């Protein structure tokens, strides 16, 4: 809006804006399209779970996840990402209504809306398009000269990296931290939630609950909805995917 100071709202995606972990639902979809009967998906996720249970940092698990796509053309993942999202959204229970409503209210009032995710653009870009977000900041897989994934990433967009990305975005766009909002669901979102003037969270993560006690944090409900922010009136449930 003309004459208004620039403002920004930052949204974690998985289990804040959408109801699943996109990395894993997309992986299952991708492997199934390529002939997996579920055994390869189980092998990959069991390995990642074991690493998590052994105390591996989320950043390390994130890097290991992307090694699954070594040798795959990035363009093929982008195309598959749209197919995955279309199927996912059509099944219902895809979004959390409070978060989508907040994003659309921000956007309609001239606030820049930014999605922050440890997932990658093939899975996140369709979400951004569906809700009308302005920008995405996600984990970036490295590709070779032929556009084929090397299996490595530039930096997992998790934890401290999200905080650094928010600081950089505010600097680039001349936005004061006083004119910001943030939405997350996990303790690893704290590095960016602490930076914004008006943090909000969904769920019961103990680190977020403790942080919320120290200030005025908005708590988002678990109401389910669609990409327009409309709430479902039936008893649709969120699918459980690790």
């Amino acid at each position: 809006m003309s004459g208004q100071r620039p403002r920004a709202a930052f949204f974690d995606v998985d289990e804040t804006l959408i109801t699943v972990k996109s990395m894993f639902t997309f992986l299952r979809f991708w492997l199934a399209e390529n002939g997996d009967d579920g055994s390869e998906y189980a092998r990959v996720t069991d390995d990642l779970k074991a690493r998590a249970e052994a105390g591996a940092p989320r950043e390390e698990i994130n890097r290991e996840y992307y090694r699954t796509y070594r040798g795959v053309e990035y363009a093929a993942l982008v195309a598959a990402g749209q197919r995955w999202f279309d199927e996912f959204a059509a099944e219902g229970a895809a979004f959390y209504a409070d978060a989508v409503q907040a994003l659309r209210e921000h956007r309609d009032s001239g606030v820049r809306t930014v999605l922050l995710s440890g997932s990658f653009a093939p899975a996140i870009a369709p979400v951004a398009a569906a809700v009308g977000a302005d920008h995405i900041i996600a984990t970036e897989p490295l590709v070779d000269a032929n556009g084929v994934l090397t299996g490595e990433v530039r930096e997992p967009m998790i934890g401290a990296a999200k905080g650094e990305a928010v600081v950089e975005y505010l600097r680039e766009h001349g936005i004061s931290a006083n004119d910001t909002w943030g939405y997350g669901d996990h303790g690893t979102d704290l590095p960016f939630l602490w930076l914004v003037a008006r943090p909000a969270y969904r769920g019961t993560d103990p680190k977020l609950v403790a942080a919320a006690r120290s200030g005025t944090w908005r708590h988002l409900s678990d109401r389910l909805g669609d990409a327009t922010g409309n709430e479902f009136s039936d008893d649709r449930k969120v699918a459980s995917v690790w």
Side-chain angles (χ1 to χ4, degrees):
M1 292 183 182
S2 179
Q4 244 182 10
R5 294 197 309 265
R7 298 164 294 160
F10 300 90
F11 290 79
D12 171 62
V13 179
D14 294 355
E15 299 181 310
T16 298
L17 192 61
I18 63 174
T19 57
V20 297
K21 291 181 172 68
S22 62
M23 291 166 59
F24 294 101
T25 53
F26 172 77
L27 176 64
R28 184 168 60 188
F29 177 89
W30 167 259
L31 291 174
E33 277 204 333
N34 286 275
D36 180 42
D37 62 0
S39 56
E40 177 63 10
Y41 177 77
R43 184 194 68 76
V44 172
T45 54
D46 286 349
D47 176 66
L48 295 176
K49 278 191 224 179
R51 291 170 184 268
E53 290 167 358
R58 269 196 163 198
E59 292 84 351
E60 178 184 316
I61 294 168
N62 186 269
R63 287 186 182 278
E64 191 61 33
Y65 167 87
Y66 287 106
R67 293 185 178 115
T68 306
Y69 301 105
R70 183 184 289 117
V72 176
E73 290 186 0
Y74 187 75
L77 291 173
V78 171
Q82 188 63 58
R83 294 193 298 274
W84 161 75
F85 178 78
D86 291 343
E87 181 179 290
F88 164 60
E91 291 173 352
F95 294 89
Y96 285 111
D98 281 5
V100 174
Q101 288 173 359
L103 186 148
R104 288 180 169 268
E105 287 168 5
H106 285 311
R107 186 199 62 193
D108 292 346
S109 63
V111 176
R112 298 171 187 261
T113 53
V114 182
L115 305 190
L116 287 171
S117 183
S119 190
F120 58 162
I124 299 304
V127 177
V131 299
D134 296 309
H135 189 65
I136 66 171
I137 301 174
T139 299
E140 181 185 349
L142 299 180
V143 299
D144 64 19
N146 297 313
V148 174
L149 272 69
T150 67
E152 303 302 321
V153 300
R154 191 170 304 283
E155 179 182 33
M157 190 49 59
I158 293 174
K162 284 188 175 181
E164 293 164 2
V166 166
V167 169
E168 181 64 16
Y169 186 89
L170 298 181
R171 185 192 65 77
E172 286 183 358
H173 295 275
I175 301 172
S176 167
N178 293 327
D179 297 316
T180 57
W181 292 258
Y183 299 82
D185 77 294
H186 193 271
T188 54
D189 293 323
L190 281 171
F192 87 87
L193 292 176
W194 281 126
L195 292 171
V196 300
R198 301 166 193 83
Y201 71 102
R202 195 206 66 75
T204 58
D205 184 281
K207 290 183 179 179
L208 293 186
V209 171
R213 294 195 189 104
S214 67
T216 305
W217 290 44
R218 177 184 176 188
H219 186 226
L220 305 178
S221 78
D222 294 337
R223 295 183 307 117
L224 302 179
D226 59 23
T228 68
N230 291 325
E231 182 179 2
F232 289 133
S233 58
D234 60 22
D235 60 352
R236 272 176 258 207
K237 303 297 183 183
V238 176
S240 176
V241 178
W242 187 81

